Amino acid sequence: MLWVWLTLGIHTLYGQESKFTVPDSLKHYSYVQLFRSYQKVESDTLKSKLYLSTILENAKNSKDSLRMAVGYCYLAYYTAEELKKLALLDSSIAISENLNHPKYPIKAYSFKGGYYLKKRDYQLALDNYIRALELSENVSNLEYLKITRHNIGVIKTRIGKHEEALGLFKENFEYASKKYESNKQPYLNSLISLAESYTHNQKMDSASIHNKEGIVLAQKNENLRNKYYGKLVLNEGINLFYKNEYNRSYDSITKGISLLDKNNPENIENHILGSFYLGKLYLTERDIVKAEKEFIRMDSIIQKRKITLSEVRDGYEFLIGLYKSKGEKEQQLLYINKLLNFDKRISKERESISTRLYKEYDTPLLLKEKEKLIQELKKNTNNLSFWVGFLIILSFSITILMYYQYVNRKKYQQKFNELIEKSKEVVVTTKKPLDDIGIADEIVEELLSRLTTFEENHRFLEKNISITTLSKEMDTNTKYLSKVINHHKNKSFTNYVNELRVLYSVEQLKESATLKNYTIQGIAEEMGFNNAESFSSAFKKTTGIKPSYFIRKICALNS
């Protein structure tokens, strides 16, 4: 019965968009039920529009501004006609602008920015992203702060500011790694942008690590595979090209292209890049004919789709040089004109948006501070004295710091020398009167004897040793054992064991060449500590120096 109403509802939705009639089968659905039903079919445009239109119609009837904003915003995603898409987003923004909601109209501004980004209208994309940033900051929406900064990173990538973009992609990826553990689609979006940015910044190994992780994740289910697998394989092929692994690069690029959905407009740029890098690969083999074919294919997509990617510019220069060498002047002129138009579009995109990014995103606070400082310097003639005094204080502070470091180095060296000169440490036992601790002499003697055996057998190296387990082994109770150690070893049980471990580690580091090559974590585990931090803390407390310093000095001494 639901399928009948689905069909009728979809017909109504498309046949009479001005008035949507909610199907009887959905009339009793709550907002939550409708939204969950939509989420189950979100990859199906017709079914999604039916559920979302029902949400919107119910919200209109109940005059629920927030749910109306949700309906308008999500329907825009599924609307192909550009004017209607923008009208829906504008409606979502207008109705939620004053709600002070944590997500609306932020999401609508973000969607609108994404629309203009796909259209390569970076000015309008930036307008909407900056507004989304302002609203996200106002309501402390960390998710959309990260998403919007990521999207601004995409704009920076498009205009060649790869180093600046990398920082934004890293920031978003770190957030996405924690936020989207169960939802791999936004995680993969973030991962792909980061990997591509690593390639642009000549960090090929880092790019490969993320590409390979993405390739594994993209094969988890059919939806991820269809959307991401081909792109990731292609990206790794491009990365391998820059690592001069040409055979593997060719295999990866050709495989990636074959996996791309040709009907998906989101893959247009991937096809351009695929043809360009195949052309570059053929040039490494001096196969001019195949290289020409790929660069021409690259150009045909660019001309048809009006998409400019700055990294493929070399393809045009090759074609111009090729036809010049052949004396084919008409072809040479054709591609000179195409390159001029290509450069013109790139230049136009970069110049206008680069200035705005600098002014409206990158440095507004810095510019204000700079202007304020200039005005203060003009008005205050005493600034020179201030800076002179500041430099004197700074110099004095640096001198004190250097002296402090010198004293510390000397102190560390002295303690190191003491450790080297000392023979193997023994924890000294001192007999004290019975009435000091209230335990019979024979019990004290027995416990001290057993502690000596405990030390000689290096039982303190056992990881899970505790006063409870040790007292049971010694046929006594924790109170007696604790009192004997406190009184005769002059320390708590924990400090007693830690000191034994540290002193043993010192002797072993003196004698064992193998142990010197261990990490601090490795040495800590060998000595019975749970982690490097507790070992380092105990070592510093016992010896007065850090274990890393001791190891470095003893290695230098031996060499």
Side-chain angles (χ1 to χ4, degrees), residues 257-318:
I257 292 172
S258 70
L259 291 167
L260 294 172
D261 181 358
K262 293 180 180 179
N263 298 318
N264 186 347
E266 292 183 3
N267 286 326
I268 294 168
E269 291 185 9
N270 297 321
H271 282 290
I272 293 172
L273 291 171
S275 291
F276 172 72
Y277 282 101
L278 282 178
K280 298 274 280 186
L281 284 166
Y282 286 130
L283 287 180
T284 65
E285 299 175 353
R286 301 184 185 279
D287 193 333
I288 304 301
V289 175
K290 287 184 178 179
E292 178 187 8
K293 182 180 177 182
E294 292 297 337
F295 289 135
I296 290 173
R297 181 182 288 120
M298 171 203 80
D299 170 64
S300 68
I301 303 172
I302 290 172
Q303 300 307 319
K304 183 179 179 181
R305 300 291 186 170
K306 304 299 181 189
I307 290 177
T308 49
L309 301 174
S310 59
E311 66 186 286
V312 305
R313 189 182 187 279
D314 289 351
Y316 286 106
E317 292 199 343
F318 165 79

Side-chain angles (χ1 to χ4, degrees), residues 219-359:
Q219 297 179 79
K220 294 290 185 182
N221 63 57
E222 187 177 354
N223 183 44
L224 294 177
R225 183 181 177 86
N226 292 338
K227 189 174 179 66
Y228 299 109
Y229 185 51
K231 180 176 178 62
L232 283 158
V233 172
L234 172 64
N235 283 357
E236 181 55 14
I238 294 169
N239 197 54
L240 289 167
F241 172 81
Y242 286 110
K243 294 169 87 170
N244 300 323
E245 297 183 36
Y246 298 132
N247 290 333
R248 290 179 62 204
S249 174
Y250 178 84
D251 291 341
S252 191
I253 290 174
T254 52
K255 180 181 178 182
I257 292 172
S258 70
L259 291 167
L260 294 172
D261 181 358
K262 293 180 180 179
N263 298 318
N264 186 347
E266 292 183 3
N267 286 326
I268 294 168
E269 291 185 9
N270 297 321
H271 282 290
I272 293 172
L273 291 171
S275 291
F276 172 72
Y277 282 101
L278 282 178
K280 298 274 280 186
L281 284 166
Y282 286 130
L283 287 180
T284 65
E285 299 175 353
R286 301 184 185 279
D287 193 333
I288 304 301
V289 175
K290 287 184 178 179
E292 178 187 8
K293 182 180 177 182
E294 292 297 337
F295 289 135
I296 290 173
R297 181 182 288 120
M298 171 203 80
D299 170 64
S300 68
I301 303 172
I302 290 172
Q303 300 307 319
K304 183 179 179 181
R305 300 291 186 170
K306 304 299 181 189
I307 290 177
T308 49
L309 301 174
S310 59
E311 66 186 286
V312 305
R313 189 182 187 279
D314 289 351
Y316 286 106
E317 292 199 343
F318 165 79
L319 290 172
I320 292 167
L322 174 66
Y323 295 127
K324 181 180 180 181
S325 67
K326 287 182 175 183
E328 298 180 17
K329 294 183 179 179
E330 288 185 3
Q331 287 295 94
Q332 182 186 354
L333 181 60
L334 172 66
Y335 283 101
I336 285 174
N337 286 331
K338 286 184 177 183
L339 180 56
L340 288 171
N341 288 330
F342 181 92
D343 286 343
K344 185 178 179 181
R345 287 199 298 269
I346 291 288
S347 179
K348 184 178 178 182
E349 287 176 357
R350 289 188 174 187
E351 286 178 6
S352 56
I353 197 64
S354 181
T355 303
R356 283 201 60 204
L357 277 169
Y358 179 76
K359 288 183 178 178

Side-chain angles (χ1 to χ4, degrees), residues 498 502 524 528-540:
N498 284 348
V502 168
F529 289 93
N530 290 321
N531 52 62
E533 289 76 14
S534 57
F535 170 63
S536 297
S537 177
F539 196 98
K540 177 77 183 298

Side-chain angles (χ1 to χ4, degrees), residues 414-426 501-517 523 527 535 539 543 545 547 549-559:
Q414 183 180 350
K415 289 183 179 294
F416 173 78
N417 292 338
E418 289 172 1
L419 285 173
I420 292 298
E421 291 166 6
K422 279 182 182 177
S423 59
K424 196 168 186 178
E425 290 285 349
V426 176
R501 290 169 172 174
V502 168
L503 294 175
Y504 183 76
S505 72
V506 169
E507 295 304 321
Q508 290 300 301
L509 285 167
K510 288 181 189 178
E511 299 166 5
S512 172
T514 303
L515 193 64
K516 293 185 185 73
N517 294 320
I523 297 171
M527 298 303 142
F535 170 63
F539 196 98
T543 66
I545 59 177
Y549 175 85
F550 181 78
I551 294 166
R552 188 170 68 250
K553 293 294 286 184
I554 204 166
C555 286
L557 190 66
N558 292 341
S559 63

